[in-house]
Amino acid sequence: MKKIIIANWKMNPSTSHEARQLFNAVRKSARKLRGAEVVIMPPFVYLPLFKPSAKIKLGAQDVFFKDGGAFTGEVSSRMLKNLGVSYVLIGHSERRELGETDELISQKLKAAALGGLNAVLCVGERERTKDSFPTLVRDELKKDLKGILRKFASKILIVYEPIWAISTTKGARADTPQNFFEMSIFIRRVILDILGKRAALKIPILYGGSVTAKNAAGFLKVKGAAGLLVGKAGLNAREFSKILEVVKS
Ligand code: PGA
């Protein structure tokens, strides 16, 4: 199975010139890549600057659940598809922090899958306290995947991204491949309840949270790991290219 390596650029870089430079550098290092798909998720405004290719796909960091109309500031699945976008991040913890609810996330997931995009759902606990973990991840999955038709399960990917391990979290701690392994089994168990056996076996589960060239191999080696969601390290062309080297080896 092809590994999927996603670079979430968040609200970076500040100019289209830098965005082009970074994209071109990634394109260069992805050229010889085998057995992996790179997905670049830049801010919306840079999407028209890039052309997707066999090696590099384009992703957006958010999408709205309506097709069009009076929704100031929003962007639809159709608009994204029209720009060559094939993936979209939904429910990233930074958006949840800004007030995005599970209800909204669930609507966005449905709209993205229906619109033919690969919907990358992020889940993960803020703290590892006894009463919030791992029930919080289960609750997020249950609410976010509520009402999704089984036929759309093939359009869904899940990223386990514990907030305490994200590089910009104050006092971030490193996660371990062992924890990712345990959490991916837990997530599959929850998917089994919601979407059935086929989806539980098939839905790709990726890891996110301070991924670097140093720790990438460990997370990728976890049985069943489908790939990585990379934040900070994806903004550094050299570091990201080293991560791609790890995928090759
Ligand atoms: P990080 O970010 O790799 O900088 O921890 C990952 C993310 O939040 O998507």
Side-chain angles (χ1 to χ4, degrees), residues 8 10 92 94 161 165-168 208-211 229-233:
N8 172 17
K10 307 191 179 183
H92 189 281
E94 285 153 14
E161 185 164 73
I166 294 180
S167 67
T168 45
S210 295
V211 171
L229 176 64
V230 185
K232 193 174 166 198

Side-chain angles (χ1 to χ4, degrees), residues 172-235:
R173 300 190 313 279
D175 196 1
T176 59
Q178 177 63 24
N179 178 54
F180 173 45
F181 174 61
E182 287 170 21
M183 284 308 295
S184 53
I185 290 176
F186 177 77
I187 289 169
R188 289 202 189 280
R189 182 67 189 82
V190 179
I191 298 172
L192 177 68
D193 289 343
I194 310 168
L195 291 170
K197 194 171 159 189
R198 207 182 137 77
L201 288 169
K202 288 248 159 113
I203 285 189
I205 301 181
L206 291 75
Y207 177 76
S210 295
V211 171
T212 61
K214 254 196 188 150
N215 63 19
F219 291 112
L220 284 173
K221 268 186 208 138
V222 166
K223 197 162 171 46
L228 304 166
L229 176 64
V230 185
K232 193 174 166 198
L235 293 169

